[in-house]
Amino acid sequence: EVQLLESGGGLVQPGGSLRLSCAASGFTFSRYAMTWVRQTPEKGLEWVSTISAHSDGFHYADSVRGRFTISRDNSRNTLYLQMSGLRAEDTAIYYCANDVGDVFFQYWGQGTLVTVSS
Amino acid sequence: DCVMTQTPLSSPVTLGQPASISCRSSQNLVHSNGNTYLSWLQQRPGQPPRLLIYKVSERFSGVSDRFSGSGAGTDFTLEISRVEAEDVGVYYCMQATQFPRTFGQGTRVEIK
């Protein structure tokens, strides 16, 4: 059974930093790209970033480029999102999802809530 | 960026009746490899999104055959043949043909 478990969310002040993690199991993590998506009531679902299976390809949304860094540790089956320079508009539930071949966003985690507020 | 526009935004449906959701993309979603990466997601209340349909019409593992997808190019449709109570939630189309990946605004399906 595929499982994706996000962690690391919480309350952070504007300008602060946070690192999210996504622990994966139930599939061969090192073979597939992984993605972060966030969701707010106002903006709905927003793609944040995708990393290739072997960390040789990265893509970022314009809204986070230069502030967020996606990475992965295939030996630990874990995906990360390092967030810095956080803004109020980064407040959202952050989900990780896997891309398996031609099937994008195949499975989603339960999400972790990030709140940026003073 | 490819803008995804869904209609309607809300769909009250009688149990056992069909429902249909449309999704239009601002750009042609045919990839250079010939595939069209248009997916449909379901989000039940309090749950994360869940993949229903990928590559326009491929039903994901475990998804009821009451769900079907169709379309091509820039116009796509999700149909639910007979709505059941467990189908209540928000449905999103999304494209993975190009970066940035983009989602529709969501269509809320509720029971009349």
Side-chain angles (χ1 to χ4, degrees):
Chain A
E1 179 192 6
V2 172
Q3 289 197 341
L4 298 170
L5 184 61
E6 303 93 339
S7 61
L11 175 63
V12 60
Q13 292 189 338
S17 298
L18 212 55
R19 188 176 84 156
L20 305 183
S21 299
C22 168
S25 61
F27 67 105
T28 308
F29 180 77
S30 61
R31 291 182 61 183
Y32 302 113
M34 294 292 296
T35 289
W36 287 100
V37 175
R38 65 187 181 185
Q39 184 173 31
T40 64
E42 299 78 25
K43 297 179 72 174
L45 292 167
E46 179 186 15
W47 169 81
V48 173
S49 182
T50 295
I51 185 169
S52 63
H54 300 291
S55 303
D56 51 358
F58 309 86
H59 298 273
Y60 293 96
D62 287 345
S63 58
V64 307
R65 186 176 291 112
R67 299 187 300 121
F68 290 11
T69 301
I70 192 170
S71 64
R72 63 192 295 161
D73 185 339
N74 286 346
S75 68
R76 296 176 182 269
N77 289 351
T78 302
L79 173 73
Y80 302 101
L81 186 68
Q82 179 67 48
M83 305 185 294
S84 61
L86 283 162
R87 307 166 180 167
E89 55 264 36
D90 295 318
T91 295
I93 298 173
Y94 285 74
Y95 297 101
C96 61
N98 60 346
D99 295 346
V100 179
D102 273 356
V103 187
F104 296 93
F105 301 6
Q106 187 183 71
Y107 288 102
W108 297 60
Q110 289 296 311
T112 188
L113 177 62
V114 172
T115 303
V116 183
S117 174
S118 54
Chain B
D1 297 0
C2 183
V3 177
M4 308 296 287
T5 304
Q6 290 181 229
T7 54
L9 297 184
S10 179
S11 179
V13 186
T14 301
L15 285 172
Q17 293 300 303
S20 180
I21 302 170
S22 295
C23 175
R24 177 165 291 177
S25 58
S26 63
Q27 300 175 29
N28 192 303
L29 295 185
V30 178
H31 192 274
S32 57
N33 66 12
N35 289 320
T36 299
Y37 296 112
L38 185 283
S39 298
W40 290 95
L41 307 169
Q42 175 196 59
Q43 188 171 30
R44 292 170 170 153
Q47 295 294 313
R50 164 198 175 206
L51 180 64
L52 293 178
I53 302 286
Y54 64 97
K55 285 199 294 185
V56 181
S57 60
E58 300 289 331
R59 204 175 299 115
F60 186 53
S61 174
V63 173
S64 170
D65 60 5
R66 296 183 296 101
F67 292 93
S68 63
S70 62
T74 62
D75 287 287
F76 306 93
T77 302
L78 174 71
E79 294 184 335
I80 311 173
S81 59
R82 300 171 308 280
V83 171
E84 297 183 359
E86 66 180 19
D87 301 333
V88 165
V90 181
Y91 292 78
Y92 299 91
C93 61
M94 61 144 285
Q95 65 81 21
T97 294
Q98 60 181 255
F99 286 102
R101 310 308 196 200
T102 48
F103 297 86
Q105 322 95 298
T107 296
R108 186 172 301 277
V109 172
E110 55 193 17
I111 306 301
K112 277 184 187 175

